[in-house]
Amino acid sequence: MSEEGRPSVATMRRYAWMNILTGFLVWGIALAGVSMMMPIMYGTISSDMGWSVTQTTSFMAIKSAVSAVGGLFAGGLIVKFGLKRVFVQSVVVVGVATLLLYFVRNLPVYYLLAALSGFASILSLIAVQVTLAKWYSASLGRMTGVAMLGGAAAGAIVPLATAYGLTHFGWHATSAFAGLVVLIFVTSAAIFLFRETPAAYGYTAEELDPGP
């Protein structure tokens, strides 16, 4: 602890990097990872379920539309319930919605899960962006870019992993496994690594990241 009873700057910067890691996992697994997985599975889903290509690919259209509308409510939800609560619960919903694809046998449930995933995804995305803005000042753009590298990592891993899952286990089990990954790894990071704001420790973003 410092003379003022606050954690040291080194400790605070470690907390900030924990948020970067959390953002990396959110972008890489819960957001980009799930979004990349679905188009790879569309052909198998359409064949297995007897749905048309349009019916099958409407999943992403519904998810995107709900995300666009959901973003309008993100600020109010964060103010009312708190940033961390919204963040953790939105990550959990993404994981559960992806996991529940295992039980899909009809289009209404398929579309409902798309809507839930879309709404939760935009909340988790905005929560990460708001958090980074609270922790970084001069290097906010660079640190946001580092967190977003999770999406690039997903691009290298998800297509291969999804193709393997489809070949050996089918799309239901592949979806369930992806949901479990979100629930175990991303939710754990959101609960245990995430730090909402440096103000809780008596610091500002400008103190921690003053720039040159």
Side-chain angles (χ1 to χ4, degrees):
M1 300 290 286
S2 70
E3 294 179 359
E4 300 174 350
R6 303 184 299 178
S8 67
V9 171
T11 297
M12 294 300 295
R13 287 176 176 165
R14 185 165 65 250
Y15 289 164
W17 273 105
M18 289 164 63
N19 284 334
I20 293 293
L21 175 58
T22 302
F24 183 95
L25 293 174
V26 170
W27 257 300
I29 301 175
L31 300 179
V34 173
S35 294
M36 290 177 187
M37 175 186 73
M38 291 305 299
I40 298 170
M41 298 197 303
Y42 283 155
T44 302
I45 294 173
S46 177
S47 176
D48 286 356
M49 305 304 294
W51 300 335
S52 69
V53 173
T54 300
Q55 289 174 321
T56 305
T57 58
S58 291
F59 182 96
M60 194 56 67
I62 293 170
K63 180 177 178 178
S64 298
V66 173
S67 288
V69 175
L72 301 175
F73 300 93
L77 291 172
I78 289 172
V79 169
K80 182 174 182 179
F81 298 106
L83 182 57
K84 182 161 187 174
R85 179 179 294 181
V86 170
F87 181 46
V88 172
Q89 293 184 2
S90 64
V91 170
V92 169
V93 172
V94 171
V96 170
T98 306
L99 173 63
L100 290 179
L101 287 170
Y102 179 81
F103 301 99
V104 165
R105 296 296 183 271
N106 57 67
L107 280 171
V109 174
Y110 181 68
Y111 291 156
L112 174 62
L113 294 178
L116 288 174
S117 182
F119 186 71
S121 292
I122 194 63
L123 293 183
S124 61
L125 172 60
I126 292 175
V128 169
Q129 293 175 325
V130 169
T131 301
L132 296 182
K134 290 185 176 185
W135 282 86
Y136 290 98
S137 178
S139 61
L140 174 60
R142 179 163 54 88
M143 292 298 101
T144 301
V146 172
M148 291 180 68
L149 286 174
I157 298 171
V158 170
L160 296 176
T162 303
Y164 181 88
L166 288 175
T167 300
H168 293 85
F169 307 108
W171 77 271
H172 286 99
T174 300
S175 300
F177 180 78
L180 287 174
V181 171
V182 174
L183 289 172
I184 294 171
F185 294 103
V186 185
T187 303
S188 295
I191 293 172
F192 299 111
L193 300 183
F194 179 82
R195 298 291 189 276
E196 185 170 336
T197 173
Y201 305 93
Y203 284 91
T204 64
E206 290 72 19
E207 289 179 276
L208 298 175
D209 184 28

